[in-house]
Amino acid sequence: MLPACAYLLLGGLNLLTGYSKPAGEAALGLCPFCRRGELRLSYAEEEVVGFGKLLLLVYKCENCGYRASDLMPLEAREPASYKVRIEEVKDLNIKVVKASSGFVEIPELGVEIKPGPASEGYVTNVEGLLARIEEAASTLKGDRGVEGNLKVFLETLRKAINGVKVFTVIVRDPLGISALISEVPGKVERRPLSREEAERLRRQLVGVAFEYK
């Protein structure tokens, strides 16, 4: 998730630019991770069809190699939950807007992606989301404690990527930044989060970046 200094700077940029397609770089000061290099922020505006305008943010430190990304909406959004059933190959093209504050769940695979220190924001599709999960899970190879279950999980995940397994994707965001977007009307179920749901998720905004059951 972005450090506080990045959000403060971007808040100022928003007021100054009036959201007129800002793009460029800015220095955020001393890197909070290595305390030696300079943390720099790159930002660019993009409009996602069916979602609206947002800022794509990338911040990095050349000294220690730290790099992370996130999204910031340029239009007011309410906390919401999105749910979609992936039933055929073309459904894998459904767009996923996932901010660092987004919670993602795929019950049939036992997957949960929760906000945490390593959580990032990105725009992809369901196929790209599965590829990210596969890459994260593959880092556990060689761990004898999970080796058997991991093999089964990766085989099931590969079926989902190949479009031969039906599954559900659920995205919830207490800040309203994340979303699922389909070109097919009614394909994605959307509902606003209740005040209690949003507050409960906000309290979980520091947690595990990836886990599978």
Side-chain angles (χ1 to χ4, degrees):
M1 300 176 73
L2 283 175
C5 55
Y7 284 114
L8 289 173
L9 174 62
L10 284 165
L13 286 171
N14 291 344
L15 292 174
L16 291 172
T17 62
Y19 308 146
S20 57
K21 294 190 176 180
E25 292 189 356
L28 299 181
L30 191 66
C31 174
F33 304 99
C34 68
R35 307 297 298 176
R36 292 182 179 180
E38 181 181 59
L39 189 66
R40 296 195 63 83
L41 171 68
S42 299
Y43 54 92
E45 182 181 310
E46 182 172 319
E47 183 161 4
V48 179
V49 177
F51 180 85
K53 295 180 180 180
L54 51 77
L55 276 182
L56 305 179
L57 315 172
V58 177
Y59 64 106
K60 59 185 177 180
C61 172
E62 297 292 349
N63 182 66
C64 65
Y66 188 85
R67 179 184 174 89
S69 62
D70 206 351
L71 309 174
M72 176 177 285
L74 297 181
E75 300 168 351
R77 300 186 63 83
E78 65 175 352
S81 172
Y82 297 80
K83 181 178 180 180
V84 66
R85 187 79 167 164
I86 306 301
E87 301 173 298
E88 50 188 326
V89 174
K90 67 179 182 180
D91 291 341
L92 295 172
N93 292 320
I94 290 173
K95 190 165 294 182
V96 179
V97 178
K98 192 267 180 192
S100 63
S101 55
F103 292 73
V104 180
E105 184 178 358
I106 306 178
E108 295 83 354
L109 300 180
V111 167
E112 291 184 33
I113 302 174
K114 301 178 182 179
S119 183
E120 293 193 316
Y122 47 82
V123 178
T124 184
N125 57 20
V126 173
E127 183 178 12
L129 174 66
L130 295 178
R132 285 172 175 267
I133 293 171
E134 183 177 44
E135 181 179 1
S138 295
T139 62
L140 299 175
K141 288 182 178 179
D143 185 337
R144 294 183 179 180
V146 300
E147 193 168 354
N149 291 335
L150 180 61
K151 181 179 179 181
V152 174
F153 171 75
L154 289 174
E155 289 175 350
T156 304
L157 181 59
R158 179 46 54 179
K159 291 179 181 178
I161 293 174
N162 292 335
V164 296
K165 180 176 177 59
V166 176
F167 60 96
T168 307
V169 180
I170 302 170
V171 172
R172 295 173 296 159
D173 193 324
L175 304 184
I177 308 175
S178 306
L180 292 171
I181 304 166
S182 173
E183 295 180 352
V184 180
K187 177 65 176 177
V188 175
E189 298 177 27
R190 180 192 180 281
R191 67 173 180 84
L193 292 175
S194 67
R195 181 179 300 178
E196 292 75 17
E197 287 177 305
E199 182 58 33
R200 185 172 65 252
L201 292 178
R202 287 192 188 100
R203 290 198 296 266
Q204 298 178 45
L205 284 182
V206 177
V208 182
F210 168 82
E211 66 180 41
Y212 79 94
K213 301 175 182 177

